[in-house]
Amino acid sequence: MEVPPQVLVVPYRRASNQDLEFLTGQKTRSLFKGKRVFPGGKLTGNLLANDSETFAQAAKRELLEETGQTADYFASVGRLLISLEGDNTIQQVEIMATDLTNHTDIAPQLPKDMELAHITWSTLDSLVADDLPADYL
């Protein structure tokens, strides 16, 4: 069984005090409901037919869909290969970062049925282990 690759978007900005802040939201459904997460999701299209979006295209789409933010530049900063116990498939997750330092509006009007709610900027120190899913640590 083919498992579509996923993208994890790490939007960041440099705050006025020069600290890095990260844009996260609270998951509204699924296994991580109630937890703070970064935006992300599966690539769309048919990988076997070579008709799939790129990781950067998926990152741009997921950022817009889940936070209402737009960005044009995404840098690949890492890759996770995840194998579930008892399953011989491997899930690829590309980690894409984007600098949103010049963005000021982080609370656009988003539909109420979104996957993420309570979208906020947080410092690394405030993203405590209890808030992020264990998979992020």
Side-chain angles (χ1 to χ4, degrees), residues 13-132:
R13 74 177 182 185
R14 182 102 22 215
S16 59
N17 64 358
Q18 297 303 303
D19 283 347
L20 279 180
E21 295 180 326
F22 301 90
L23 191 63
T24 62
Q26 191 173 38
K27 198 76 166 167
T28 60
R29 52 184 180 257
S30 84
L31 178 65
F32 300 126
K33 183 176 181 179
K35 298 291 185 182
R36 295 213 64 78
V37 298
F38 293 106
K42 295 181 177 98
L43 272 67
T44 61
N46 185 336
L47 292 173
L48 295 177
N50 206 17
D51 183 30
S52 175
E53 65 187 345
T54 66
F55 287 111
Q57 289 167 333
K60 184 173 187 167
R61 177 181 50 76
E62 290 291 344
L63 181 66
L64 179 62
E65 287 176 0
E66 296 185 5
T67 70
Q69 298 297 304
T70 60
D72 291 320
Y73 178 76
F74 294 85
S76 177
V77 296
R79 178 175 295 144
L80 301 173
L81 299 175
I82 302 168
S83 176
L84 299 177
E85 189 175 326
D87 190 349
N88 62 355
T89 60
I90 295 178
Q91 174 73 56
Q92 177 181 342
V93 180
E94 193 76 12
I95 304 168
M96 306 290 290
T98 187
D99 184 353
L100 299 181
T101 298
N102 296 322
H103 290 233
T104 56
D105 179 20
I106 64 156
Q109 292 301 107
L110 295 172
K112 294 197 183 298
D113 64 342
M114 298 298 290
E115 287 185 45
L116 297 184
H118 308 293
I119 298 164
T120 58
W121 289 105
S122 304
T123 62
L124 193 56
D125 289 341
S126 69
L127 293 174
V128 294
D130 290 343
D131 258 355
L132 290 174

